[in-house]
Amino acid sequence: MSAETLEGRRPSPARERVLETATRLFYTEGVHSVGIDRIIAEAGVAKATFYHHFPGKDDLVRAYVVQQTSLQHTLVTTLRATSPREKLMEIFAYMCEFGAGTSYRGCPFVNTAAEYPDPAHPVRQAINEYRSWVRGLYRDLLAADGHPDPERTADIVLLLRDGLVVGFDLDDPATVRAAVQEALARVLAT
């Protein structure tokens, strides 16, 4: 869902094309390596149209992060698990499946954060909002499952998630999947 939709306005097809193009390019090539002129050309919009929707590249990058967050929210609502523990396991199973795919180029949040080191930058703030939501999701699932320390354990599960998204870039996917399943089982057993 776009920011325009969230604000109650009908999304612009041109804005959506720019965001779709940027999403593809940012994910496959990195944020700073892709210029606005290329995004404009590949999206098939005029410069004035681009700047009407995104006053600058950082606004587009922030919209990309917000869109990725929205997609994650939607994904969680589509899970079929019936218990909080099963939902947490299903989230990690999905990440393992996605991370083992040939199109996997890392986590869009981690990748973008690496290109925006200033924690006060609006892009980093959007990433922090996503991470806060994920941590809260883990905490709430752990609490609903009756875990004795959902706050601390949510931090551990978030670190496990971070290791998983990096591990798929560096290690054998089967090894990562097995390690994640074992680590998650150990964390949930405490």
Side-chain angles (χ1 to χ4, degrees), residues 48-115:
T49 302
F50 175 89
Y51 286 110
H52 169 75
H53 294 292
F54 304 101
K57 185 175 178 183
D58 286 348
D59 299 296
L60 175 60
V61 177
R62 189 174 194 297
Y64 162 67
V65 170
V66 169
Q67 178 196 50
Q68 293 302 302
T69 300
S70 179
L71 291 171
Q72 295 289 318
H73 284 241
T74 301
L75 175 68
V76 169
T77 64
T78 64
L79 298 176
R80 297 183 220 187
T82 57
S83 76
R85 180 178 295 243
E86 289 172 356
K87 190 172 230 175
L88 191 57
M89 299 294 280
E90 192 174 351
I91 289 167
F92 276 83
Y94 176 83
M95 286 191 292
C96 286
E97 182 179 322
F98 182 74
T102 57
S103 64
Y104 184 72
R105 297 290 177 263
C107 169
F109 302 100
V110 171
N111 293 349
T112 304
E115 296 192 53

Side-chain angles (χ1 to χ4, degrees), residues 8-182:
R9 294 180 297 210
R10 202 175 97 211
S12 156
R15 182 185 191 283
E16 293 303 312
R17 277 197 319 276
V18 169
L19 192 52
E20 287 172 15
T21 301
T23 295
R24 176 178 46 82
L25 294 172
F26 290 165
Y27 186 69
T28 58
E29 298 180 26
V31 171
H32 290 317
S33 67
V34 177
I36 288 176
D37 289 339
R38 181 170 173 204
I39 294 168
I40 289 169
E42 290 193 27
V45 299
K47 267 191 182 186
T49 302
F50 175 89
Y51 286 110
H52 169 75
H53 294 292
F54 304 101
K57 185 175 178 183
D58 286 348
D59 299 296
L60 175 60
V61 177
R62 189 174 194 297
Y64 162 67
V65 170
V66 169
Q67 178 196 50
Q68 293 302 302
T69 300
S70 179
L71 291 171
Q72 295 289 318
H73 284 241
T74 301
L75 175 68
V76 169
T77 64
T78 64
L79 298 176
R80 297 183 220 187
T82 57
S83 76
R85 180 178 295 243
E86 289 172 356
K87 190 172 230 175
L88 191 57
M89 299 294 280
E90 192 174 351
I91 289 167
F92 276 83
Y94 176 83
M95 286 191 292
C96 286
E97 182 179 322
F98 182 74
T102 57
S103 64
Y104 184 72
R105 297 290 177 263
C107 169
F109 302 100
V110 171
N111 293 349
T112 304
E115 296 192 53
Y116 286 86
D118 178 3
H121 193 283
V123 170
R124 277 297 291 271
Q125 290 174 354
I127 293 167
N128 291 344
E129 289 167 15
Y130 164 76
R131 289 181 62 77
S132 178
W133 170 75
V134 170
R135 186 192 176 283
L137 172 66
Y138 295 162
R139 181 200 59 232
D140 293 349
L141 290 171
L142 290 161
D145 190 51
H147 195 281
D149 191 357
E151 290 289 336
R152 184 180 67 80
T153 306
D155 292 334
I156 293 168
V157 175
L158 185 60
L159 287 174
L160 177 60
R161 177 227 173 265
D162 292 344
L164 164 71
V165 300
V166 172
F168 275 118
D169 268 344
L170 304 173
D171 299 315
D172 173 58
T175 303
V176 173
R177 182 187 308 262
V180 165
Q181 289 170 344
E182 183 177 343

